[in-house]
Amino acid sequence: GNVVGEISSYLKINRTATIVARTDCILQEFSLKSLINLCKHNPKLAVKFHIFIATILAKRVNFLTSQLEILDHDMHVPLE
């Protein structure tokens, strides 16, 4: 599975992406209101959820940083 739309939930902004599924799938919406309720009623689970999302975001940042480093390197290679 994948997580999408988490940035908009945390930042209270419009979603930054549109996705199209290649196959039939089951989606679960987790709204900011649901997250707030989770924090109030099950803080231990909320911590696990936040760590889960933070890990996903950290992996994405790490991947994008490596891609930027590759692009930066390619831009500085002298043309023959």
Side-chain angles (χ1 to χ4, degrees):
N2 276 317
V3 175
V4 295
E6 71 287 345
I7 293 171
S8 63
S9 293
Y10 278 97
L11 298 180
K12 299 179 187 174
I13 60 172
N14 291 331
R15 290 192 174 106
T16 58
T18 299
I19 60 169
V20 177
R22 292 183 187 168
T23 62
D24 290 344
C25 59
I26 297 172
L27 302 175
Q28 178 66 47
E29 181 180 5
F30 198 80
S31 67
L32 182 58
K33 182 178 179 181
S34 297
L35 183 57
I36 291 168
N37 283 332
L38 181 64
C39 291
K40 287 179 184 176
H41 300 292
N42 195 339
K44 288 182 181 181
L45 183 57
V47 167
K48 289 181 182 184
F49 179 81
H50 288 302
I51 290 171
F52 172 72
I53 296 297
T55 301
I56 289 171
L57 293 173
K59 287 178 180 179
R60 290 178 185 169
V61 168
N62 188 53
F63 172 76
L64 291 172
T65 300
S66 69
Q67 295 301 300
L68 287 172
E69 288 170 353
I70 291 168
L71 287 172
D72 184 54
H73 177 266
D74 290 349
M75 291 179 68
H76 292 97
V77 173
L79 297 176
E80 296 180 34

